[in-house]
Amino acid sequence: MTVKFGTPTEEQLVKINKFAKRTLSADEVFCFPNKLAGDMIIPDRYIKLSKELLEVFMVDAKSGVSLLLDHSWSPDGFFGMGGRPKAAIPYGRTFDAKMETSDVEGETLALNADHYMVRGIEIDGISTNNLIQSIEAGTLFDTSIGFNFRNAVCSVCGKDYYKGDCNHYAGRTYEVEVDGVIKNVLCYVTANPPGGLWENSLVFDGAYPTAGVL
C-alpha cells in the first residue's frame, strides 16, 4: 500500500481534529515537522532565546499558532523592505511541539513543531496544494518565527539591555574581568519570559540557522 507523503498518523490526526471545526480525514490533511528555533546566538541579531522562553513557545505551539507566508503582518517582514503589511492569512497551523537536545554547533536545545495544512484550499491566489508540492520538492524549506519577549539580559553586565542601565552594544566585544582574568566577552541579548510565539512563516531565508522544514 502506497502512503502519501505527509499523511498524518492516527495519533496526529486526533490532535489535529482537536482544532478542526469539523472532523478531518487523513486524506484531507498534509502534515510536516519543522524546526522553529533553538538556543544559539542568532547571527547578526545577537539574540539568544533562553530555555525558559523556548518552553513558553513550546506550549504556544501545542496550542496551535498560525502558519503564514513571509511574516506578511509585519512591515519589516514584507519583503524585508518596510513595506505596507498585507493581510496575515493562515495557510496552516501547528498542532504539537517538543524540545530536543541538539548536536548543532553553538546550540544545545532545539524546538520542533508539527504543522498541518488542508489540501485543496486556495486563499488569496495561493493554493495549499502548490505549497505542499513545493515542500515535497524541497524548494520551500526555510521558516521563521514571529514572537515577542519583555526580559532582555545583556551578556556583559547582566542588566536589562533595553530598560536598564546597560551601556553595551550587541555584537561588540568587551574586555571583562572574570575570576581575576581579563577576557573578551561578546555582547548579546538573552531573551527571557514573559513572551510568546505568535506564528511561524514559510520564507525564503529565515534569521535562525537550521530552522525550517525537517
Side-chain angles (χ1 to χ4, degrees):
M1 180 178 179
T2 302
V3 180
K4 288 185 294 185
F5 179 87
T7 302
T9 64
E10 290 184 8
E11 182 182 355
Q12 287 177 319
L13 192 60
V14 169
K15 293 178 180 179
I16 290 167
N17 273 316
K18 288 181 179 179
F19 297 111
K21 305 306 180 187
R22 67 172 177 83
T23 302
L24 299 172
S25 68
D27 287 341
E28 291 180 275
V29 176
F30 173 84
C31 66
F32 65 94
N34 189 106
K35 179 176 178 179
L36 298 180
D39 62 353
M40 75 164 62
I41 300 170
I42 302 173
D44 300 324
R45 302 195 181 187
Y46 301 102
I47 295 176
K48 176 184 172 71
L49 306 178
S50 69
K51 178 176 182 268
E52 292 76 17
L53 187 61
L54 288 171
E55 287 173 341
V56 172
F57 291 175
M58 180 174 64
V59 172
D60 291 340
K62 286 183 176 182
S63 299
V65 300
S66 293
L67 177 68
L68 306 179
L69 298 178
D70 296 325
H71 298 305
S72 53
W73 54 271
S74 168
D76 292 333
F78 182 50
F79 295 122
M81 299 177 66
R84 183 172 63 84
K86 295 179 66 179
I89 301 172
Y91 289 87
R93 190 173 187 172
T94 62
F95 65 91
D96 202 2
K98 61 181 177 180
M99 196 94 71
E100 296 183 329
T101 57
S102 173
D103 57 2
V104 174
E105 184 177 356
E107 180 182 78
T108 61
L109 294 171
L111 176 60
N112 299 332
D114 289 327
H115 299 63
Y116 78 94
M117 286 189 282
V118 175
R119 300 175 187 270
I121 293 178
E122 183 172 317
I123 308 173
D124 199 25
I126 298 174
S127 75
T128 55
N129 282 353
N130 287 343
L131 294 177
I132 291 165
Q133 288 172 357
S134 295
I135 290 172
E136 290 175 331
T139 56
L140 190 57
F141 59 92
D142 219 338
T143 60
S144 175
I145 58 174
F147 63 94
N148 76 318
F149 62 93
R150 292 187 180 180
N151 188 339
V153 177
C154 171
S155 63
V156 177
C157 65
K159 298 177 181 178
D160 191 297
Y161 184 79
Y162 299 111
K163 302 176 185 177
D165 299 323
C166 174
N167 296 314
H168 304 108
Y169 294 90
R172 294 185 182 179
T173 300
Y174 295 87
E175 290 187 347
V176 178
E177 184 175 336
V178 180
D179 298 327
V181 179
I182 300 297
K183 296 185 177 181
N184 291 323
V185 176
L186 174 67
C187 178
Y188 62 87
V189 173
T190 299
N192 295 296
L197 178 66
W198 293 341
E199 50 90 6
N200 190 33
S201 282
L202 293 160
V203 297
F204 78 95
D205 186 17
Y208 193 91
T210 70
V213 177
L214 298 175

